[in-house]
Amino acid sequence: MTEHDTQQDTLHEEAGQDDGSQTGKDTAGGAPEVAIPELVIISGMSGAGRSTAAKCLEDLGWFVVDNLPPALIPTMVELGARSQGNVARIAVVVDVRGRRFFDNLRQSLADLDTKGVTRRIVFLESSDDALVRRFESVRRPHPLQGDGRIVDGIAAERELLRELRGDADLVIDTSSLNVHELRAKMDAQFAGEEEPELRATVMSFGFKYGLPVDADLVVDMRFLPNPHWVPELRPYTGVHEEVAAYVFNQPGAKEFLDRYAELLQLIAAGYRREGKRYVTIAVGCTGGKHRSVAMSEKLAARLAAEGVETVVVHRDMGRE
């Protein structure tokens, strides 16, 4: 068994289980200010790594509560506010194990918004194939499969979580991640002492391997000639200068970069106004090796130059 397999098994095991703060105003009697804790809600598919994500936040100093009924989330925040700053950041794991309590989540979120609580939703996603493998490896049923199959439970859970996934501030696809890679993603988003205005992940990918399920925006580089058909460039990738020069010397390449970067400025401004702090921009080509990689590198550099904290991920590079 490889080290990667051992690390991946940690996510498999989860299939079988499932300092900034806001300050309130002074009261009329001169009472001390009340620090409203920062809140992160962790949810997503059973077996996708919620427990790993929660443990990561716990290691970063967050107060973590697992499987808390959604109706009690506002109460948990109020208790944190009374802790005199001892509980400044709270993470709550909410999932279908709550059964009927899960229906109360939307009302709880509305209550939090009314009280001015800064809250973010982290949604852990994974492909059906990956989830089936994880449940089968631990020989445990899916919590919603009943008398049916694992895939029936997964389908029911996806439908139940569909609206919550759409409201998520951060979606992480763990289909091909081991536990350390998932922790690295969580660290990248939450380890910083100061929260940036907007964080962007620019991800190159190959269409022949499927669309990234956690992408917010997707663009297609297949309108450019493919370096794969240039024998001297075929062995290289888009991070090599020779390939990048070939891609950006093609008609439309530089123009696309300029105009899409301008469009992203407009989108980023809207995301900030709406309080969205994370965006994943997927840049695709046929195999995810040449054109998408070269464009992702340039696009990420543009975003970074404009003050957006940016991470580049080449999902399929080296996969062929």
Side-chain angles (χ1 to χ4, degrees):
M1 179 179 290
T2 66
E3 180 182 356
H4 183 276
D5 291 335
T6 302
Q7 296 166 346
Q8 188 71 33
D9 283 346
T10 304
L11 289 182
H12 291 183
E13 291 171 3
E14 292 188 0
Q17 62 175 0
D18 273 310
D19 170 6
S21 62
Q22 301 171 82
T23 303
K25 296 180 180 179
D26 289 349
T27 61
E33 293 182 342
V34 176
I36 302 176
E38 184 179 358
L39 175 67
V40 166
I41 297 172
I42 300 173
S43 190
M45 300 297 295
S46 299
R50 295 182 307 239
S51 296
T52 295
K55 289 176 183 176
C56 181
L57 290 185
E58 190 171 33
D59 291 343
L60 292 173
W62 291 66
F63 184 85
V64 178
V65 183
D66 189 19
N67 200 24
L68 183 72
L72 297 181
I73 294 177
T75 302
M76 187 73 243
V77 173
E78 290 177 5
L79 292 174
R82 298 174 189 172
S83 69
Q84 299 180 344
N86 292 322
V87 181
R89 298 181 297 177
I90 298 174
V92 176
V93 181
V94 176
D95 53 63
V96 294
R97 286 176 294 166
R99 306 288 179 172
R100 59 189 179 87
F101 295 114
F102 193 80
D103 297 333
N104 299 325
L105 180 58
R106 183 150 297 280
Q107 181 59 50
S108 294
L109 294 178
D111 291 344
L112 294 171
D113 292 339
T114 300
K115 296 175 181 178
V117 176
T118 297
R119 50 92 173 171
R120 287 169 286 170
I121 300 174
V122 177
F123 192 95
L124 280 299
E125 175 66 274
S126 195
S127 68
D128 286 3
D129 289 344
L131 294 175
V132 169
R133 287 195 303 270
R134 292 170 187 172
F135 277 104
E136 288 181 342
S137 70
V138 296
R139 301 182 184 276
R140 295 290 299 274
H142 186 281
L144 294 185
Q145 77 179 73
D147 295 330
R149 302 172 301 162
I150 292 175
V151 291
D152 298 326
I154 292 173
E157 187 175 32
R158 285 200 191 282
E159 183 60 32
L160 181 63
L161 296 176
R162 186 180 305 279
E163 190 172 354
L164 180 62
R165 187 190 188 283
D167 291 338
D169 299 284
L170 175 63
V171 177
I172 300 178
D173 178 18
T174 69
S175 301
S176 59
L177 300 182
N178 61 44
V179 61
H180 295 305
E181 291 167 335
L182 174 54
R183 289 183 67 91
K185 282 182 173 286
M186 292 295 294
D187 284 342
Q189 300 296 343
F190 295 100
E193 294 182 359
E194 295 184 2
E195 195 69 29
E197 288 190 356
L198 182 67
R199 282 189 171 116
T201 297
V202 180
M203 177 189 299
S204 70
F205 73 96
F207 278 96
K208 69 180 182 179
Y209 300 116
L211 289 171
V213 298
D214 51 349
D216 297 296
L217 304 168
V218 178
V219 289
D220 186 355
M221 295 298 101
R222 291 177 295 183
F223 71 92
L224 298 172
N226 192 347
H228 175 81
W229 303 115
V230 181
E232 58 269 28
L233 297 179
R234 185 177 301 175
Y236 298 106
T237 70
V239 299
H240 290 88
E241 184 178 347
E242 301 91 332
V243 174
Y246 175 87
V247 169
F248 284 97
N249 281 332
Q250 302 304 318
K254 293 178 180 177
E255 291 81 358
F256 173 85
L257 175 62
D258 291 338
R259 294 181 185 181
Y260 193 58
E262 291 178 0
L263 177 61
L264 289 178
Q265 288 181 344
L266 179 65
I267 294 173
Y271 278 170
R272 292 186 181 103
R273 288 193 298 270
E274 294 300 313
K276 183 176 175 66
R277 302 188 183 190
Y278 315 102
V279 59
T280 298
I281 304 162
V283 182
C285 63
T286 303
K289 179 180 179 180
H290 296 113
R291 295 164 290 181
S292 63
V293 172
M295 186 62 71
S296 294
E297 290 286 339
K298 292 288 188 181
L299 188 59
R302 288 284 187 94
L303 292 173
E306 293 162 5
V308 177
E309 186 172 330
T310 308
V311 176
V312 185
V313 176
H314 300 304
R315 190 191 74 175
D316 299 322
M317 190 172 69
R319 189 170 179 177
E320 76 287 345

